[in-house]
Amino acid sequence: MAPLWPLHGANLGTLLRTCDAVGACLAVPRFPWVPEALRRGNTLRRPACVHWVHDPPGWLTREKAAGSAIVGVELADEAVRLADLPPARGRTIAVLGHEQQGIPPEALDLLDTVVEIPMVGTGASLNVAVAGSLVLYKLAGLL
């Protein structure tokens, strides 16, 4: 799970716990406040799998070249509904954007698949922790 442009630190701790629950790792940017947000939100009894990313678009480019599937969680015309997203069959990175601006344009071209979470209400999106958790469980084949 890669929330590479986080806005709220509380979401990172929640995502870290979800990653642990499904056997995934969390990739986060080296923002000054992120280590403390992870420490504060981490209730796990053992060390968690965290990868530090210095250049998100560059990291995604290298991961894609190495064979990773890149799935973006974003509203887009060509997006696959979450219910139709198949479980991951290999190394897969689920990318989450900024909670207000989404995934930056320079990263959108790196996505192999875009998934959206249908919503009936008036809101335009879920918070990053909820959206990421739903996608993680679906990719892990647990939903």
Side-chain angles (χ1 to χ4, degrees), residues 33-95:
W33 57 268
V34 169
E36 176 57 28
L38 289 175
R39 273 191 297 280
R40 192 170 357 114
N42 186 0
T43 59
L44 302 172
R45 296 174 190 221
R46 59 184 172 89
C49 180
V50 177
H51 298 274
W52 296 97
V53 176
H54 297 282
D55 169 26
W59 180 74
L60 289 171
T61 299
R62 290 187 299 280
E63 287 294 325
K64 185 172 182 141
S68 296
I70 312 294
V71 175
V73 182
E74 186 74 33
L75 295 174
D77 290 338
E78 71 280 0
V80 173
R81 287 174 20 106
L82 179 63
D84 298 327
L85 182 69
R89 297 288 180 229
R91 184 175 168 90
T92 302
I93 298 169
V95 178

